[in-house]
Amino acid sequence: MRRAGLEPLAWVAVAAAIFWGLPNHLALATHLAILALFALSLHVLVGLGGLLSLGHTAFFGLGAYTAGLLARAGWSEPLTGLATAGMVGLLAGSLAGAVLGRLRGLAALMVTLGLGLLLHEAALRLPGLTGGDDGLSGVETAPLLGLFSFDLWGKTAYWYAVTLLAGAFWGIGRLEAAPFGVSLRALHDNPIRLQALGISQTARVRTAYGISGALAGLAGGLLTQTTQFVSVEVFSFHRSADLLVMLILGGVGRRYGALLGPVLYGVLREVFSAWHPAYWGAGLGVALMAIVLFAPQGLLALFAPKKTRPEQVPGRAE
C-alpha cells in the first residue's frame, strides 16, 4: 500500500469508519490515538536505537502539565499550547539524552527509572502547582482554529488526535529512512562498528531522546487538552511499564507495532473491565501472556514475510 501511495487513503478510510461506525466510542478511540502517539515516541528509543527506558512518563507528564498550566493561566489556544508542550518535552529529552548518552545498559535504565520516580514525587510534593492527588481540573481549551469546539461527544478531540498521530507517524517514517534513522539502527545493531566509523554515539542518543521527548510531550499535552484534566498520575511508573508492554505486543522495531500494541492493549483492558470491575487485571494478564507466548516477536511478526535460509554455495561450508 505504501508503494502504491494508498497508505494515506487507508488511514482516512479507517478513521472515517471509526467516526461514523462507532460514534459512542469516540472517547476511547481518542485515548487510543494518544496512547499510540506516546508509544511512537518510545519506538524512537527502543525500536530504532535499542535504548530502553522505564521513565518515559517524565516527558509525557511534563507535556501534560505544560498544557494544563498554560490553560489555567488563560492561554487556552490548543495548537500553540500543544506546540509549547512538545518544546518542553524536546528540551527535557535533550537534557536527559546528554546524560544518558554517556551510559549504557542497566545504568542508563536505572537513571530513566529514577527520573520518572523523581518527577512523580516532586509533583506530589507541589500541590500548589500540580494540584497534588486532586490534579488540575477546569482546564479549558478554546475551539480548534477558532472554529471547532471540543464538544461533549468528542468529535473534535477525535479528529484532532488522529490528525496529530498521522502526522507524527509519517514524520517517524521519514526519519527511519533518513541517514539519522539508519545510524540509530546501527547503534541498535552494532554500536562498536558505529563508533569505529567515527559517528558520535552520544550525539545520536541525545538527538533521539530529544525527538522522543518532543513526541511524548505532544501526547501528554494532547491528553490534557482533550480531557480538560491532568493529575500526577501522568508521571506514574505503571504508565511507563504499560507503554513498554504495548510495544512488545505490537512488535518492537516496527512503526505499525507502536500503533497496533496500544490499540490491542486498550481494547483488551476495556473488555476485561466490562467483564469484571475487580478482577479485570487478572484476565488482562492472562491474555497478555498468551499473546506473548504465541507471538514472542509481536503480533506484526506473524504477518511479516518469513526469511528463507540462503542456499549453500557449492564448495563452501556454512
Side-chain angles (χ1 to χ4, degrees):
M1 294 181 64
R2 187 180 299 116
R3 292 175 181 175
L6 299 178
E7 190 176 15
L9 294 179
W11 273 73
V12 172
V14 172
I18 294 174
F19 181 79
W20 295 108
L22 299 171
N24 296 327
H25 299 279
L26 291 183
L28 175 61
T30 302
H31 183 67
L32 294 180
I34 295 172
L35 282 181
L37 178 60
F38 191 21
L40 195 63
S41 71
L42 188 60
H43 164 73
V44 175
L45 295 181
V46 178
L48 297 183
L51 306 168
L52 292 177
S53 174
L54 286 176
H56 212 57
T57 49
F59 316 122
F60 182 82
L62 287 174
Y65 266 102
T66 297
L69 291 172
L70 286 176
R72 287 285 294 267
W75 190 354
S76 59
E77 202 285 316
L79 293 179
T80 53
L82 189 65
T84 306
M87 291 176 62
V88 170
L90 171 64
L91 178 61
S94 299
L95 292 175
V99 176
L100 292 167
R102 306 176 184 277
L103 302 174
R104 291 293 181 273
L106 292 177
L109 188 65
M110 294 306 296
V111 170
T112 62
L113 175 60
L115 178 62
L117 296 176
L118 179 65
L119 286 179
H120 183 250
E121 188 65 22
L124 285 173
R125 300 297 179 184
L126 296 171
L129 180 65
T130 65
D133 291 324
D134 297 328
L136 293 178
S137 58
V139 177
E140 297 183 1
T141 306
L144 186 63
L145 301 176
L147 300 173
F148 307 101
S149 299
F150 287 84
D151 53 287
L152 184 62
W153 297 272
K155 296 179 180 179
T156 300
Y158 171 74
W159 286 113
Y160 185 31
V162 169
T163 302
L164 186 62
L165 173 62
F169 196 84
W170 176 84
I172 295 301
R174 302 297 296 174
L175 176 71
E176 291 179 353
F180 176 76
V182 176
S183 66
L184 276 185
R185 293 281 189 186
L187 178 64
H188 179 286
D189 297 335
N190 198 331
I192 297 178
R193 178 171 294 182
L194 184 71
Q195 188 173 5
L197 292 174
I199 300 176
S200 172
Q201 296 186 34
T202 303
R204 293 297 181 276
V205 172
R206 183 175 60 249
T207 305
Y209 264 96
I211 296 172
S212 180
L215 290 176
L218 289 174
L222 188 60
L223 179 66
T224 299
Q225 291 180 346
T226 54
T227 60
Q228 298 185 359
F229 176 78
V230 59
S231 70
V232 296
E233 190 270 339
V234 294
F235 289 110
S236 62
F237 167 73
H238 77 81
R239 189 180 285 270
S240 290
D242 289 348
L243 190 66
L244 196 56
V245 170
M246 295 174 196
L247 276 187
I248 295 173
L249 285 178
V252 177
R254 304 171 187 269
R255 268 190 312 153
Y256 274 101
L259 180 65
L260 176 62
V263 171
L264 178 62
Y265 185 90
V267 170
L268 286 176
R269 182 170 181 171
E270 191 75 12
V271 169
F272 283 109
S273 297
W275 165 67
H276 202 294
Y279 299 106
W280 64 269
L284 180 62
V286 172
L288 293 179
M289 286 191 295
I291 293 173
V292 172
L293 290 174
F294 180 68
Q297 295 182 348
L299 290 176
L300 281 186
L302 299 177
F303 306 99
K306 296 183 178 180
K307 296 181 180 180
T308 58
R309 188 180 182 184
E311 295 183 2
Q312 183 177 358
V313 179
R316 291 182 57 185
E318 291 186 345

